Structure formats: C-alpha cells, structure tokens
Amino acid sequence: MKITKHSSITTFVVLLFLSALSFSSFAQSLEEKFDTLLQERYKPDGSGATVLVAKQGKIIYHKAFGLANIELDVPMKPNNVFEIGSITKQFTSVAILMLIEQGKLTIEDEITKFIPDYPTHGKKITIHHLLNHTSGIKSYTSMNLSEIAAKDMTPTELINYFKNEPMDFDPGEKWLYNNSGYIILGFIIEKISGQSYEDFVEQNIFKPLAMNNSYYGSKREIIKNRASGYQTREGYVNSAYLSMTLPYAAGSLMSTVEDLHKWQNAVNTNTLVKTETIKKAFQNTTLNNGKPTYYGYGWSVNEINGVPTIEHGGGIFGYTSYQIYIPEEDVHAAILTNCNCNSPTDITIRIAALAIDKPYGKEKITNVSASVLKKLTGVYKFEDGAVRSISLKDGQLYSQRDAGKKFKIFPKAENTFFFEDSFSEILFKTDSKKPEAIFKNRVKESKGFKTNAPIPADKKAITVSENILSQYVGVYQIKEGFNLTISLENGQLISQATGQKSFKIYPESETVFFVKEFPASLEFIKENNKVVSAVLNQGGQKTPAKRID
C-alpha cells in the first residue's frame, strides 16, 4: 500500500487519539479505584475526608467525602480546612533548616545553648536529637495532658511542664516519638528569629508559598471552611477542647489538602531551602549503635512495595491526617479527616500504591503442600520482643502475636506469606539448624527464631448470664479524662476507651474478660457484692480503673 503524506498524518492523528483515549481510560480506571476505597471508608452520613493525589506536580484527583458538620448535615468540600496535627513537624523542621542555612544555628548545637537552665542530666542533647525523636526527653503527651488540655500556656510554661521529668533513655540510644522535642524546637525558632512561631511560619512559609488557607490553629477565630472535629463514644460526639497553645510547634497548624500540595511542591523544588539542606530531612537517621530509626527530620522514611517514600501522619482532638511523597515517581497523596475515629493512614498508603501501579493485594498461590505448611508452624520469638505463634487449621496458616487475634496468612511464594488487609509479610527460613522467620511491615523488619514452646491453646469464651453481665455496665476511670466505658448490647459486653474504637469483650470466667483482636483482658473487682473497679491487663502491665458511674 502506498503511504502518502496525508495518510501518514492521518495515521499519526489516529494513533495520537488512541493514545489519549488509552490514557483517559487509565485515568478513569484509577479514579474509580480511588472512589471505591474512599466511599467504603467515609460514608455520606458520617465524618468525612478530603483527598488529593498529584503526579509530576499536577493534581490528578481532588475530592471530598462525608460531612464537614454532622449536626448541620453540611457535606464536606475539597477545600475544607482541618487541624493537621503532627504534619506540623515538617514545617517546624524546615523552619530550623532555614535558620541553619542563615548561619544562626547548627544541627549539632546543644539545647542548653538556647535554654541554659534546661536539666540535661549531664547528657548532650542536640538539635539533631530533637528533630529525629532520639533525645530521650519525656514526651509531654505521655503525661496526664487532661490537667492542662484547656489551659493556654506560653512555650516557656509548656517546657517547664515537662523538663524536670526523668529522661526515658540517653540521647541517641533509642527512637521514641516525642512531641516535647518539637516544643523545644519551636521555642528555639522564636528565640533565634525574634518572631513568634506563628508569625515565623506565616511570614516565611505560608505567605511566600501562597498557602492562603493555612493557619496557626485557633478555636476562637472564625476560619472559613473549617471542618468540625469529632470523636466517637457510642456514636459521634464533638471533640474535646484542646488549647492550640499546647500542640504548638509539634501539632498546631491547620491546612487543606491543596495547600499541602503547594507545600510538597515547594519542598520538591527547593523553594525554601537548598537541595543539600532538605536532603537532611529525608535521611534515614541512625542510633548510636548504627541501627536505623526510619525517621529523618519531620518525615518518616518508608517504602511502598520496594519503592522509597517519605511520609507523616497526624492525630489531634477531632482530626487525623496522613500524607505520602514518592520521590522516584513524583507522586504525592494526602488525606485529611475530621474525626479521630477513622485514621487515613492505611488508605493513603493504598491510594499512593495504586497511583504508582504497585497496588497492595497480592496473588495467592495454591500449590504449597500440607507438609510444608506444617513445617512452618511453631512459636517464634522476635528481636523486637514480639512472640508470634504460627498455627495450621484446615489447610489455612494463621499468625497470632502474643495472645491476640489470629490472622490468616496467605502464600505468595512457598516460604513467604502475607497478611490480608495489611502491609505485613512473614518470610520463613527453614533450611538452617534453627528455623528463622523475618516479619516485615513495609520497610521495617524484625528477625525471629523458632522456639520449643508449644502453640498456646485458643481462649474460649464461656456463657455468662445477662444478669451478671449487666452488673459491669458503667464508666471506669483509668486516669482523669481517659475512661473505659462498658456497655451491654444483645447479651454482649462492649468496651470503649475515650477517643478509641470499641471492642467486644468475652468472658473466660464470670469476672475476667478478654479481647480477641489484641492481647488484653479486663478483670472486674467486687466489694460487698458490688462492682467497684476493673483491672486492665495489657502488655504485661496491670492498670487499675475505678468505677465512676
């Protein structure tokens, strides 16, 4: 066939059209996958979320789900404003790096350079330790925050609240998420710059980046498009009050997913700090013994199916958040929600994985013999302290951590098994004298060895009359502001801690009840035939809870 210039142009146009059609189909398919995940999680009549996905700096998905205000039945909008919690730490980290570039401090400066009377107990605590959560300073959010939650405090007052607490460990010896470190960093920003933390972030970050819907949080000011915050306690309730002076440089900022996209683009294009400087924030820092922390400065270091990521989440009264950036693919995904009852962490990871065409949800293989499965069973003790029992029933392998819930695990290879609806895997090595197992949750790994311990028998619930169960219904105070509420529904006791999801509890005796989802039990204590308290047994610790209602 003779090909003329005209026909070749026509062919090119057709190919271009087909290529565009193919891309459109892919984009539509991806959008549908996102929609399916999000509509299942965030219902039209409940608390909601805003979602943004960008690729190569351009937004490819930006939607809202659920309600911004449940009481007024107001639908969520893509530009709603949320408290972003600990994603604030990225802004604090970059603020510190900006000051380092200006020559006003160094990463190895000790905190006593800025707070001379800080009690370091003879230890060298540096800016580096504060940024990557290895300082050993007591995190004030692990203390009884309820006693100050409604109180406005200056940064100095807040530091005084926790500074005399014993240190948890020597600097650099361990990694433990620490909000106190970022409170001190905020104070240092103020001392060096001569500005309040709020003004520094507003003038040096928000305004230059045109983040026009981002703010230092306030409960008093009118903030246009603010989504109301909720928590659950036998249904939705308005979130408890928290003075925004308390999260401060660790968690007090508010934003939208679109502004977070502007922020991520600015970070990627070195708008605020140089390439060599921002790289420090994304490094996988190490402990004194050389082990990785999987955390940089304000970002955690992880991966999605082998592809490196940097990411962070946030949780604060009434709100949860998560965002992920994948440098190799230039993909950014962010979700903000208005309830601390429905964390977006897992769904953000799944959406980011879909965006790079590396979805979670593996193909199961079926040709693993019963003899091989049986060989894998046993009790394994891991270097992180976990004990996992691997059992086999009706051809199905199960993994159970400590005395918690049993989870089905499925083979993707003869010796590699994955958890359904999870990002975790177990790789078994049976060819050595002492059989091993490696538990992997995305980038983090823990090695374990098979022990001689027998696989523990399943806990079995006994039958207890509803008359006895009704005696336990009430509220039990673990500490001020944090309670266990026990309710009875259709002959089943339900336990719910303040701000957390509820769990069914099952009787192993008339007074002791266990949780199937994780290793914990609750014992009710009677005096003079009346229930006066309960004891929570979890993680090797027994915590008393006085009955207050």
Side-chain angles (χ1 to χ4, degrees):
M1 181 179 72
K2 184 178 179 181
I3 300 177
T4 65
K5 182 179 180 182
H6 178 267
S7 65
S8 65
I9 291 173
T10 302
T11 302
F12 173 74
V13 170
V14 170
L15 289 174
L16 189 64
F17 173 76
L18 290 173
S19 175
L21 186 64
S22 174
F23 178 79
S24 175
S25 297
F26 170 77
Q28 186 180 23
S29 174
L30 191 58
E31 180 180 1
E32 287 173 351
K33 290 175 182 177
F34 291 163
D35 285 347
T36 298
L37 282 171
L38 292 158
Q39 288 166 358
E40 185 178 338
R41 176 67 61 87
Y42 302 106
K43 305 297 184 184
D45 59 349
S47 64
T50 60
V51 186
L52 182 145
V53 183
K55 196 163 190 175
Q56 297 174 352
K58 304 296 183 183
I59 297 171
I60 64 171
Y61 187 88
H62 187 197
K63 291 188 179 183
F65 301 84
L67 297 174
N69 187 293
I70 295 173
E71 291 165 294
L72 300 177
D73 203 30
V74 177
M76 192 72 75
K77 297 185 297 184
N79 64 339
N80 275 123
V81 177
F82 300 76
E83 294 175 21
I84 62 173
S86 285
I87 291 179
T88 297
K89 291 180 174 66
Q90 296 178 8
F91 296 85
T92 302
S93 170
V94 169
I96 288 288
L97 295 177
M98 292 170 75
L99 293 171
I100 288 174
E101 281 196 348
Q102 294 169 20
K104 296 180 178 178
L105 76 163
T106 72
I107 210 74
E108 293 302 324
D109 280 345
E110 295 187 48
I111 64 173
T112 48
K113 179 178 179 180
F114 312 100
I115 313 175
D117 64 344
Y118 196 93
T120 61
H121 308 282
K123 309 298 180 182
K124 181 180 178 180
I125 305 174
T126 66
I127 299 291
H128 167 81
H129 293 132
L130 301 179
L131 285 167
N132 77 341
H133 304 290
T134 60
S135 68
I137 292 170
K138 175 73 70 178
S139 182
Y140 77 106
T141 48
S142 68
M143 299 162 63
N144 187 11
L145 193 59
S146 61
E147 66 184 18
I148 61 169
K151 184 179 180 182
D152 289 343
M153 299 177 74
T154 66
T156 299
E157 289 172 335
L158 193 51
I159 290 170
N160 288 340
Y161 179 73
F162 61 76
K163 73 177 185 180
N164 292 313
E165 292 291 316
M167 291 185 64
D168 289 329
F169 49 83
D170 287 347
E173 290 295 316
K174 295 181 182 179
W175 185 92
L176 185 63
Y177 194 81
N178 191 314
N179 285 299
S180 293
Y182 275 76
I183 300 302
I184 296 173
L185 289 169
F187 176 85
I188 291 171
I189 290 167
E190 293 195 0
K191 187 164 186 177
I192 291 175
S193 69
Q195 297 176 284
S196 68
Y197 175 81
E198 177 179 356
D199 287 345
F200 185 93
V201 171
E202 173 70 27
Q203 294 175 25
N204 294 282
I205 298 178
F206 290 164
K207 282 187 177 178
L209 301 184
M211 295 177 66
N212 300 323
N213 296 299
S214 297
Y215 314 90
Y216 187 95
S218 171
K219 303 292 188 183
R220 297 184 180 91
E221 293 179 16
I222 301 299
I223 295 177
K224 190 176 180 181
N225 296 318
R226 184 205 298 259
S228 300
Y230 300 97
Q231 60 193 63
T232 53
R233 188 184 302 137
E234 297 182 15
Y236 286 107
V237 296
N238 289 305
S239 62
Y241 180 83
L242 177 69
S243 166
M244 297 308 284
T245 64
L246 301 186
Y248 182 49
S252 276
L253 297 185
M254 302 179 70
S255 194
T256 65
V257 286
E258 190 169 8
D259 270 8
L260 289 180
H261 172 57
K262 292 179 182 179
W263 164 247
Q264 188 62 56
N265 277 347
V267 169
N268 298 344
T269 55
N270 310 116
T271 304
L272 298 174
V273 291
K274 299 173 184 175
T275 303
E276 58 268 27
T277 304
I278 198 64
K279 278 183 178 178
K280 295 175 182 177
F282 308 149
Q283 65 190 343
N284 189 352
T285 56
T286 57
L287 300 173
N288 295 343
N289 60 11
K291 289 187 176 181
T293 64
Y294 304 104
Y295 199 94
Y297 298 156
W299 278 267
S300 62
V301 178
N302 219 307
E303 66 174 38
I304 288 177
N305 283 325
V307 182
T309 66
I310 51 173
E311 53 196 74
H312 214 284
I316 195 167
F317 292 12
Y319 302 88
T320 51
S321 57
Y322 209 80
Q323 68 167 356
I324 295 175
Y325 181 65
I326 308 171
E328 286 182 14
E329 303 281 349
D330 194 11
V331 165
H332 176 227
I335 300 181
L336 301 177
T337 85
N338 64 331
C339 184
N340 60 3
C341 59
N342 208 343
S343 170
T345 302
D346 64 320
I347 202 165
T348 312
I349 295 167
R350 292 188 186 281
I351 281 175
L354 283 168
I356 63 171
D357 198 25
K358 286 185 175 288
Y360 286 94
K362 311 162 187 72
E363 290 293 326
K364 305 169 189 176
I365 63 171
T366 57
N367 59 347
V368 181
S369 68
S371 60
V372 169
L373 294 177
K374 187 173 177 59
K375 191 176 181 181
L376 303 179
T377 62
V379 177
Y380 295 78
K381 187 171 184 179
F382 290 80
E383 58 190 354
D384 63 0
V387 175
R388 287 186 171 84
S389 301
I390 308 299
S391 58
L392 180 64
K393 183 178 180 181
D394 299 330
Q396 173 66 59
L397 216 56
Y398 292 84
S399 173
Q400 179 182 29
R401 177 170 177 165
D402 302 316
K405 181 180 178 180
K406 285 187 175 182
F407 292 93
K408 292 179 180 179
I409 56 175
F410 303 93
K412 61 181 253 187
E414 188 170 85
N415 283 347
T416 304
F417 290 72
F418 66 92
F419 291 72
E420 199 167 40
D421 298 325
S422 169
F423 308 114
S424 300
E425 295 182 347
I426 300 182
L427 169 64
F428 295 95
K429 294 183 178 181
T430 57
D431 53 356
S432 57
K433 288 184 179 179
K434 197 170 185 180
E436 300 177 18
I438 296 174
F439 180 84
K440 182 176 181 181
N441 183 12
R442 300 179 69 201
V443 75
K444 295 182 181 179
E445 294 184 354
S446 180
K447 182 184 287 188
F449 292 95
K450 193 173 182 178
T451 70
N452 293 324
I455 296 173
D458 292 342
K459 278 188 176 181
K460 292 186 178 180
I462 66 170
T463 301
V464 175
S465 73
E466 196 161 331
N467 183 47
I468 292 176
L469 295 178
S470 64
Q471 297 176 29
Y472 305 133
V473 173
V475 179
Y476 299 78
Q477 185 181 65
I478 293 177
K479 61 182 180 180
E480 187 177 349
F482 189 72
N483 303 323
L484 274 180
T485 300
I486 306 298
S487 57
L488 180 62
E489 298 178 14
N490 300 320
Q492 173 70 61
L493 278 189
I494 306 217
S495 170
Q496 184 173 31
T498 301
Q500 299 180 17
K501 66 182 292 187
S502 61
F503 292 95
K504 295 177 180 178
I505 56 175
Y506 300 86
E508 56 181 290
S509 73
E510 283 195 356
T511 57
V512 179
F513 292 72
F514 67 94
V515 183
K516 289 184 178 180
E517 286 78 5
F518 54 90
S521 64
L522 190 65
E523 181 179 5
F524 294 99
I525 308 299
K526 291 183 177 182
E527 289 182 6
N528 299 322
N529 211 32
K530 184 179 179 182
V531 180
V532 295
S533 64
V535 176
L536 176 64
N537 190 343
Q538 185 175 4
Q541 293 187 329
K542 293 187 175 183
T543 305
K546 182 181 178 182
R547 186 171 186 171
I548 58 174
D549 180 23

